[in-house]
Amino acid sequence: MAALCTSPQYVFSQKQENYGQYVDPMIGSEGLGRVFIGPSCPFGMVKPSPDCTSKPNSGWLPMPTEVTGFSQVHVSGTGGGPKYGNIQVMPFSGPLTQLDQSALRKEEKTTLGYYQTKFEGNNIETEITTAERAAFYRFSYPQTAHKAIKIDAAFFLGESPTPNTREAQQFIGSEIEVLSDCEVRGHSRIRGGWNNGKAYTVYFYAIFDHPFDAFTSWKDSLLMPNQKSQYDAGKKTGVLLSFKDTSYQKLQMKIGISFVSCLKAKENINAEIAHWDFQKAHTELLEKWEQLLSRIEIDPKASPLQKRMFYTGLYHTMLMPVDRTGENPLWLSEAPYYDDFYAIWDTYRTSNPLITLIDPQREVNIVNSLIDIYKQDGYMPDARSGNSNGRTQGGSNAEVLIADAYVKGLKGINYQEGLQAMLKDALIPPGGNEEQEGRGGLVEYNRLGYVPYGIDRSGNRTVEYSYNDYNIATVAKGLGEEEVYNRFIKQSANWKNLWRDDYENNGAKGFIMPRDANGNWLDEIPFGSSKVYSPTFLYHPLISEAPWYLPWWSAFLYEGTSWEYSLSIPQDVPGLIEKSGGKEAFQKRLDTFFDRSYYNVNNEPSFLTPCLYHWIGKPYLSSDRIHQIISTHFNDSSMGLPGNDDSGAMSSWLAFHMLGLYPNAGQAYYLLNTPFLKESVIHLENGNSFKISAQQLSEKKRYVGKALLNGKQLNRAWISHKELMEGGELVLEMVAKPTKWGAQELPPQQLK
């Protein structure tokens, strides 16, 4: 098999293209996408880019919005309240007498690993590249300009004039110190943000390639010329630097970041960018990306649009979570440390399975980090940022990542410890800390078999806990823990306890519906808190809002309707079909779901839904839906993502479907659909390669007539992870009309 996999017959010639050239960081930067647009290493801790006011999550907004400066730490594609935006620098020209140096851009360019802009008025150009924990800036000033730099140790995103606003970041303190005529250090201390997290501190060390000859520090907006240090006293601090030497126009700065100390930030510069060669630093960054992007080669004859969409999708998938190994200020451990799981609720479905294919050792490190967080902090996160767990959105979805790693045979993980971490989520209530970690409503869930109405997100928590219980059963069965397996495989059917069989809506029968602790179905939901009139409103499967008096995260279903969640049972699609009235009724239900636009393209609960036709033996209908969705809602523009990218979730969903593969996370197989690409090759870490060829693929010939796996006929519309890892070639012979291919052997059934 190995020889077959590596022969030229099956594999594109390696490095025939520079794949980084197709990455466009601006795809999805506007609208709902909210992606980070600056330079970043794969899973890099430092993400420098412009901040355009303190409002946007990624920091960036399109022109003509002015730039307040360039901060070193950002997230990508997130919703909710902003996080980070720490340690801001800004070039300017003029005296050191004004703190606000905001400027308008007259041009802007961003490519893989590189950002450039030039400001109106002063014509100062800023270029940025980065390493993993240190950023590299090159400022170009007009010949006669007075060169100056502002370093703001107190800036952050999401500042609110109202103290302690939910999901807003809040200032605690900052510090600045001029060490020499070319060195400045300090820190920023912030709390809150989307996860309402505990305080985190970002330390920095900045060094310039030319000396400054004057400086003015400030505290609480009070300018203090020649004052070298401003200690942390709960006030905003920073420094203005002046470079009066006119013999050069280019000024370079390296700025290291650390979550441990200023000296560690300095060491990060020395370890990663010991030189002053900006182009060398950029080239080194491009090489890191190329090693990963080239692990999936697509048809050299694919259109430029397809190449941009695909490789940008891979790129977005590898921005988060971030590798902070050695930068954990909370405990000492030899385990990897990753932060900015933002959130696993979003990424478990497609991002982590794609990382497993591209960079399996990275996924091993991510899972080991989750287990170590459990060992040290008490619970694995469903989300984590700024070294704090939070927020939970539905299930305890770190379970899915452990199960996915287990069934796909990833080595180097202590799965016994992983199972204990999973069981902690499933058995031990987090003690009033349900928003940060663990399972909210756990006592009721374990007693009743569902989370009753009145507990936040009772509907999707029940649905998601059922799948998380399936993940526990999966690992327990493999480890020979029969008692654990028996309990949790039974609990994986708990979604049925909120399935109201007799409820009909728009031609479909049976829905996930609210139920109280006494077992009563609730047709009407209490509206308001009056004890005299007891007003109510009618609940139905298309409602997506919470009552006016509840915060939106307290609704029965989080970010979705019952139409969506009633199709989100990834562990037991056959059971879902049976509950829906059989295959014919299920097809009608799916058709209604898509034809009447109940499908929400911009959110994760419906990620698997277009593929559900596979379970009724009609994968061609899945392919039709997928191609319609992507053609309508995705493109290579700045508005090219239909929803928050959510740390690469939306982009990885797209990348998988362009290949014609789709994972059912936590289970060791991939569904097969009509790809967008005629050919693609996945170069696996074990040395094998897996090629997908869609012969005669065109707008007219878009259905699979016949499939061959390594020359043998494949009658099923799915392949196992093991088959993919063994390498070889999957040939799809495309025809003009739907066939019965995939109808004989349906996707794998639930564990028994």
Side-chain angles (χ1 to χ4, degrees):
M1 178 61 72
L4 178 67
C5 297
T6 56
S7 69
Q9 178 182 358
Y10 285 89
V11 184
F12 297 135
S13 58
Q14 281 271 41
K15 301 301 296 178
Q16 64 180 186
E17 290 195 77
N18 169 21
Y19 299 103
Q21 68 180 306
Y22 302 116
V23 173
D24 183 353
M26 299 305 292
I27 293 177
S29 58
E30 295 187 62
L32 295 175
R34 297 183 177 181
V35 299
F36 170 74
I37 61 98
S40 174
C41 286
F43 308 95
M45 188 177 83
V46 169
K47 289 180 168 55
S49 78
D51 295 310
C52 306
T53 77
S54 66
K55 296 180 181 179
N57 287 42
S58 68
W60 179 87
L61 287 173
M63 294 189 287
T65 309
E66 63 184 9
V67 171
T68 60
F70 304 90
S71 295
Q72 316 314 310
V73 188
H74 294 92
V75 294
S76 183
T78 62
K83 193 81 175 184
Y84 302 130
N86 310 105
I87 315 301
Q88 189 176 85
V89 300
M90 185 65 170
F92 66 99
S93 183
L96 310 184
T97 58
Q98 183 177 329
L99 292 185
D100 185 3
Q101 297 294 342
S102 301
L104 295 171
R105 295 156 286 180
K106 69 176 182 180
E107 65 181 53
E108 187 173 51
K109 177 184 179 182
T110 181
T111 59
L112 179 61
Y114 174 80
Y115 173 86
Q116 178 269 339
T117 192
K118 183 175 284 189
F119 293 129
E120 291 184 2
N122 59 29
N123 280 320
I124 298 172
E125 180 185 52
T126 300
E127 298 171 276
I128 317 173
T129 190
T130 192
E132 292 182 8
R133 299 175 184 191
F136 199 149
Y137 287 78
R138 183 164 64 188
F139 306 109
S140 299
Y141 295 80
Q143 188 169 1
T144 59
H146 176 185
K147 297 182 287 296
I149 295 288
K150 171 187 174 183
I151 302 179
D152 188 342
F155 182 87
F156 60 95
L157 295 171
E159 185 170 13
S160 171
T162 305
N164 299 316
T165 302
R166 183 182 176 85
E167 292 196 18
Q169 293 200 105
Q170 294 115 40
F171 177 79
I172 297 178
S174 68
E175 188 168 283
I176 200 86
E177 182 179 14
V178 175
L179 297 174
S180 71
D181 62 0
C182 60
E183 298 167 292
V184 179
R185 71 180 181 182
H187 69 247
S188 175
R189 199 181 312 278
I190 308 294
R191 69 182 178 92
W194 174 77
N195 66 333
N196 301 302
K198 300 174 185 176
Y200 66 91
T201 303
V202 179
Y203 300 89
F204 78 92
Y205 174 90
I207 183 169
F208 297 88
D209 67 342
H210 291 282
F212 48 86
D213 52 15
F215 59 88
T216 294
S217 64
W218 79 82
K219 178 176 284 186
D220 202 21
S221 299
L222 178 62
L223 295 171
M224 304 180 197
N226 302 317
Q227 181 72 39
K228 285 189 174 183
S229 63
Q230 301 290 351
Y231 65 87
D232 190 339
K235 304 292 184 180
K236 295 184 176 182
T237 64
V239 67
L240 305 173
L241 309 171
S242 177
F243 302 76
K244 293 181 180 178
D245 189 341
T246 59
S247 65
Y248 60 90
Q249 280 72 54
K250 292 187 183 296
L251 174 66
Q252 296 190 131
M253 179 189 74
K254 297 183 290 190
I255 182 165
I257 294 296
S258 173
F259 285 77
V260 174
S261 71
C262 291
L263 285 176
K264 185 65 165 59
K266 180 180 180 180
E267 175 57 28
N268 287 340
I269 296 177
N270 295 335
E272 297 181 354
I273 320 176
H275 53 80
W276 281 104
D277 188 334
F278 184 92
Q279 189 56 51
K280 180 181 178 182
H282 183 216
T283 300
E284 290 170 347
L285 175 54
L286 292 179
E287 289 172 351
K288 292 177 182 178
W289 277 111
E290 199 66 25
Q291 289 176 7
L292 294 172
L293 296 173
S294 64
R295 292 185 183 177
I296 303 183
E297 294 185 278
I298 64 173
D299 184 2
K301 297 179 181 178
S303 71
L305 179 145
Q306 289 177 323
K307 291 178 179 179
R308 286 193 296 271
M309 290 175 66
F310 181 77
Y311 284 107
T312 303
L314 296 191
Y315 167 76
H316 285 155
T317 304
M318 294 183 281
L319 290 177
M320 293 170 64
V322 299
D323 184 356
R324 290 194 190 152
T325 304
E327 289 286 345
N328 182 356
L330 302 180
W331 64 78
L332 293 175
S333 174
E334 295 182 358
Y337 181 65
Y338 280 72
D339 203 344
D340 295 335
F341 296 96
Y342 209 143
I344 299 174
W345 185 85
D346 301 287
T347 61
Y348 81 77
R349 296 167 170 90
T350 51
S351 295
N352 290 95
L354 187 54
I355 294 169
T356 295
L357 284 182
I358 297 171
D359 192 359
Q361 184 57 51
R362 178 79 63 173
E363 186 66 13
V364 168
N365 292 344
I366 289 171
V367 171
N368 280 332
S369 176
L370 294 173
I371 296 172
D372 195 53
I373 291 170
Y374 146 75
K375 291 166 66 177
Q376 306 293 340
D377 252 5
Y379 285 90
M380 295 186 293
D382 188 50
R384 185 179 178 90
S385 192
N387 303 311
S388 288
N389 282 356
R391 293 171 47 196
T392 60
Q393 299 184 95
S396 49
N397 290 305
E399 272 92 289
V400 190
L401 270 60
I402 294 176
D404 198 65
Y406 181 79
V407 298
K408 291 174 181 175
L410 295 189
K411 306 298 183 183
I413 297 170
N414 187 328
Y415 289 105
Q416 284 287 357
E417 287 187 345
L419 180 60
Q420 293 308 308
M422 299 164 88
L423 289 173
K424 176 72 174 291
D425 283 333
L427 298 176
I428 308 298
N433 203 30
E434 294 88 352
E435 188 174 292
Q436 300 301 115
E437 56 203 5
R439 297 188 182 185
L442 178 61
V443 172
E444 292 83 357
Y445 175 79
N446 284 338
R447 176 169 58 87
L448 301 171
Y450 63 93
V451 181
Y453 186 82
I455 295 175
D456 292 353
R457 307 186 295 284
S458 59
N460 68 291
R461 274 175 160 164
T462 298
V463 170
E464 293 182 48
Y465 294 170
S466 300
Y467 188 43
N468 301 148
D469 287 343
Y470 183 81
N471 304 138
I472 294 172
T474 298
V475 177
K477 186 177 181 66
L479 296 178
E481 300 282 352
E482 286 299 316
E483 185 176 345
V484 176
Y485 165 75
N486 289 332
R487 170 175 175 171
F488 286 95
I489 195 63
K490 181 180 179 180
Q491 288 186 193
S492 72
N494 278 351
W495 62 274
K496 296 178 182 179
N497 295 328
L498 285 189
W499 185 273
R500 189 169 174 179
D501 290 295
D502 62 350
Y503 195 96
E504 296 187 35
N505 184 269
N506 288 280
K509 190 173 183 180
F511 285 90
I512 298 292
M513 295 293 284
R515 194 176 189 183
D516 68 18
N518 295 319
N520 302 310
W521 297 108
L522 302 180
D523 291 308
E524 296 183 337
I525 300 298
F527 188 86
S529 55
S530 171
K531 296 180 180 179
V532 178
Y533 297 103
S534 300
T536 60
F537 73 96
L538 183 67
Y539 188 89
H540 59 80
L542 289 172
I543 283 181
S544 58
E545 298 85 10
W548 65 269
Y549 61 90
L550 285 179
W552 58 269
W553 60 86
S554 295
F556 174 61
L557 295 167
Y558 179 81
E559 293 189 3
T561 68
S562 182
W563 263 95
E564 293 175 83
Y565 276 103
S566 297
L567 291 167
S568 185
I569 314 296
Q571 76 274 26
D572 190 14
V573 180
L576 173 62
I577 293 171
E578 180 182 354
K579 278 288 190 182
S580 298
K583 291 184 178 180
E584 183 176 344
F586 191 68
Q587 180 177 336
K588 290 180 179 178
R589 185 185 194 115
L590 288 176
D591 291 343
T592 298
F593 182 68
F594 291 106
D595 293 341
R596 297 190 184 180
S597 299
Y598 300 159
Y599 171 72
N600 185 359
V601 65
N602 70 9
N603 214 8
E604 285 77 12
S606 292
F607 266 24
L608 178 65
T609 311
C611 292
L612 294 183
Y613 291 99
H614 278 62
W615 276 268
I616 59 173
K618 297 183 178 181
Y620 64 88
L621 292 177
S622 296
S623 295
D624 281 348
R625 295 296 183 188
I626 291 162
H627 279 245
Q628 180 184 31
I629 291 164
I630 291 176
S631 298
T632 302
H633 297 286
F634 290 80
N635 56 62
D636 65 343
S637 75
S638 61
M639 301 285 286
L641 294 175
N644 295 159
D645 197 41
D646 288 320
S647 308
M650 196 70 62
S651 291
S652 53
W653 185 91
L654 171 67
F656 263 122
H657 281 311
M658 291 186 73
L659 294 173
L661 300 174
Y662 193 78
N664 192 356
Q667 301 174 66
Y669 63 89
Y670 303 86
L671 301 169
L672 301 177
N673 290 293
T674 298
F676 281 73
L677 305 162
K678 289 185 177 180
E679 292 184 320
S680 59
V681 176
I682 303 171
H683 299 290
L684 302 164
E685 194 174 58
N686 62 10
N688 295 335
S689 292
F690 187 82
K691 183 175 182 180
I692 303 170
S693 300
Q695 296 182 351
Q696 305 300 317
L697 175 66
S698 67
E699 283 296 320
K700 292 184 177 180
K701 292 187 176 182
R702 55 193 179 95
Y703 298 106
V704 178
K706 182 180 180 181
L708 300 173
L709 179 60
N710 296 328
K712 296 182 179 179
Q713 189 160 323
L714 183 73
N715 293 321
R716 46 185 161 88
W718 58 273
I719 60 169
S720 69
H721 181 75
K722 181 176 182 292
E723 288 171 325
L724 190 153
M725 294 302 294
E726 288 173 347
E729 184 173 24
L730 173 67
V731 176
L732 305 175
E733 298 181 2
M734 310 307 296
V735 295
K737 294 181 180 181
T739 69
K740 293 184 178 180
W741 175 76
Q744 297 179 11
E745 188 177 345
L746 302 181
Q749 304 294 298
Q750 188 180 26
L751 286 171
K752 300 298 183 184

